[in-house]
Amino acid sequence: FFQCDNAKGLKAFYDAIKYGPNHLMVFGGVCATVTSIIAESLKGWNLVQLSFAATTPELADKKKYPYFFRTVPSDNAVNPAILKLLKYYQWKRVGTLTQDVQRFSEVRNDLTGVLYGEDIEISDTESFSNDPCTSVKKLKGNDVRIILGQFDEEMAVKVFCCAYDEEMYGSKYQWIIPGWYENLWWESWINSSQCLSKNLLAAMEGYIGVDFEPLSSKMLKTISGRTPQQYEREYNAKRGDGQSSKFHGYAYDGIWVIAKTLQRAMKYLNATNKHQKIEDFNYTNHKLGKIFLDAMNETNFFGVTGQVVFRNGERMGTIKFTQFQERKEVKVGEYNAVADTLEIINNSIRFQGLEPPKDKTIIQEELRKISLPLYSILSALTILGMIMASAFLFFNIKNRNQKLIKMSSPYMNNLIILGGMLSYASIFLFGLDGSFVSEKTFETLCTVRTWILTVGYTTAFGAMFAKTWRVHAIFKNVKMKKKIIKDQKLLVIVGGMLLIDLCILICWQVVDPLRRTVEKYNMEPDPAGRDISIRPILEHCENTHMTIWLGIVYAYKGLLMLFGCFLAWETRNVSIPALNDSKYIGMSVYNVGIMCIIGAAVSFLTRDQPNVQFCIVALVIIFCSTITLCLVFVPKLITLRTNPDAATQNRRFQFTQNQKKEDSKTSTSVTSVNQASTSRLEGLQSENHRLRMKITELDKDLEEVTMQLQDTPEKTTYIKQNHYQDLNDILSIRNFTDSKDGEKAILKNHLDQNPPAQWGSSDPSRTSKDPIEDINSPEHIQRRLSLQLPILHHAYLPSIGGVDASCASPCVSPSASPRHRHVPPSFRVMVSGL
């Protein structure tokens, strides 16, 4: 049978049957192919066959080979041992790599059945014929860490070369392969591979081989009276320099099996039928054949290879585990099939890492959270900003009656501060993630922080927008120049913006509320070097139609922001103390708009980096809120502290209070401009210029009227009839426009040129003189003064409490005017030097 030729083996068997004596049993069969052919035909001759070297799993089929036994464990016998090893190290996920040869495929199929009911997953099954690299790559792609291989020595070299190329070796992987290879087996095949010897050895380091134990390691006496160690020494002594076979112990125990089988058969025949002996056996005697078969199944003794027991014709032997350590195989444990126990020799197995490899990549989900130091720093800055906002609020409320603060709409300033503080508060909520709060709380925060930031932004930006719109309406829209824009209207504008925000937010919350979602990223190696992989996860606040809702909010806010920037640009050159913060409000609107656009874009691009995203969002909010509050309030604070009077002065307007005058020559007009009249500034300037031009024209008419007074008294009637309307025009215009200095100068000029005379006096002696010669006569002086003094009286005295300018006739007595009565001080506008 040793020639492994099926024809020769079958011929030798038939010759022995035909020409030899009657054989009781067949002992032998090394080659699997020859042994299987002989074993299949034994039933016809009632012969029991016992093999000591045939390990092919095919021979375990008792229906096909009912009379076949073997003292050597089959190749499938390693599978229960492998199962025990997997359980020992708690490996529950494996992969197989099998050479396309029937012997290895049968072992793989049996292993699949063994592992099937043991809660161990075979995650990938790969096979190859000549090139194993593709299969090895697939195993790595499926994250197989524990590889169960079935291949011969030649293919083993190729497999480990591919494993080196794919980096499937070391602390993360464990290879379990057949352990029946010859000693230094790789040296015979290294030249046929394309990898270097050191690379091959590096990939082989730590693999575990599984094979049957040639000789028992127990120091117990066997059935022969020798211990396995004594037997081995005797065997080696008699073998001399001859080649050793690992099956010699099984052959030795096989002889004892046959002897014990025949002994039991003889005892059975003696006890049941004294007339029949084993010598009476022939190939047609089925009764004796059955006796031999039953006696063989009852074999149970301790031999040099361990406990010899058959189960369905298969040897229940001992399986050993060896590990490749530093270019040699070292025994690290053994499995006893009879007792179903695994024994690992203490500290003999050396894994490449600090612990046995994991059966798969241990994925540890790690939340990408906000850095605590970063959160602390930004929170500290936020607290400082809120303290600053509180100080500005206190300043604004305390000084709300000051002209400087009152003219800048303190109520709108309060809204700006409130919006800034809400925006500041949202930073605390944006920094809270799963590392600080529970999942349910985080989901609530998704809604709360959105509402707070939206309302805060609208409140602050809306107030700035309203104030900028008012400045633009006054100076860029002619139709509005004579209308009053009160704070109530600005509050309505801000309220409208907030109402739109609330409608959007309520619809958003009811229809498609924000939920906590988790985004998983690609696995990363453990920074600490452990045999695990880190899968970063990141919490988001999202919903089903997130894009639509964000589009609505961004569109609304974007249009509002663009319009606000447009108004800020249009009013960039307006700088009027009465509207003392219009320029700074415009700068704030422009800066907030630009920063929000940049911040939103960068925040969207860095959504997978929570620290960067939170830092950008927080800094944008802090910057926008701080720059807005500082631009609005710092100039007021500085002006109010350094020069409070200068805050209410202008080179074109002077605001004073009217008091009782002791001297009419030094009296001053005291006025106050409230915020409503301020909005008519440009219209008043234009109207003032037009009226002053008309005054110039009417002054010429007045001079002409005065010159005509030199004529005869008969022309007085003509003057009254033709110039009466011009005098009324002079009276009404003077009452509106003449300044204090102008009043004094004109009055003094008239009094110097025309000394006052008694009202109604006349000198009849001079009436007969020539009118030209008597131009300075008392009659002419009285006549001129009778016209000029009432004119002056009506034109200038109303500004100091005299005759009301509404008096229609210059001849009415001044005492009839209510302006002669004392009136309390009042505030008016005195336009001078324009």
Side-chain angles (χ1 to χ4, degrees), residues 54-101:
T55 61
T56 178
E58 180 186 4
L59 296 172
D61 186 0
K62 301 313 294 181
K63 292 182 179 181
K64 190 175 183 179
Y65 310 105
Y67 285 82
F68 180 80
F69 292 83
R70 49 188 167 190
T71 56
V72 62
S74 101
D75 292 336
N76 286 344
V78 301
N79 291 335
I82 292 175
L83 172 63
K84 207 71 175 180
L85 182 68
L86 296 177
K87 288 184 175 181
Y88 184 83
Y89 288 107
Q90 299 181 356
W91 291 328
K92 296 184 178 182
R93 185 174 183 272
V94 300
T96 61
L97 181 63
T98 308
Q99 183 180 354
D100 283 335
V101 175

Side-chain angles (χ1 to χ4, degrees), residues 730-753:
I730 294 173
L731 294 177
S732 60
I733 295 172
R734 290 286 186 180
N735 184 47
F736 181 79
T737 61
D738 282 352
S739 64
K740 182 180 82 173
D741 295 337
E743 296 170 26
K744 292 180 179 180
I746 297 173
L747 182 59
K748 186 174 183 294
N749 181 52
H750 282 284
L751 292 177
D752 290 342
Q753 293 179 4

Side-chain angles (χ1 to χ4, degrees), residues 15 181-182 517 530 611 655 690 694 760 796 816:
D15 288 345
Y181 300 161
E182 296 292 335
T517 60
R530 296 174 298 173
N611 284 319
F655 306 95
R690 185 181 64 81
K694 190 170 184 178
Y796 298 105

Side-chain angles (χ1 to χ4, degrees), residues 78 81-82 85 147-151 160 174-181 185 204-213 318-325 328-335 342 344 349:
V78 301
I82 292 175
L85 182 68
I147 304 101
L148 308 179
Q150 287 292 331
F151 34 75
F160 283 112
Q174 182 60 61
W175 289 83
I176 301 176
I177 64 174
W180 44 260
Y181 300 161
W185 55 269
M204 291 169 54
E205 186 68 22
Y207 80 75
I208 294 177
V210 187
D211 193 19
F212 55 82
E213 182 75 273
T318 301
I319 305 299
K320 70 172 181 177
F321 293 94
T322 59
Q323 187 179 36
F324 188 77
Q325 300 176 1
K328 62 180 180 181
E329 291 186 344
V330 178
K331 182 179 178 180
V332 294
E334 65 178 29
Y335 168 75
L342 175 65
I344 300 296
I349 293 185

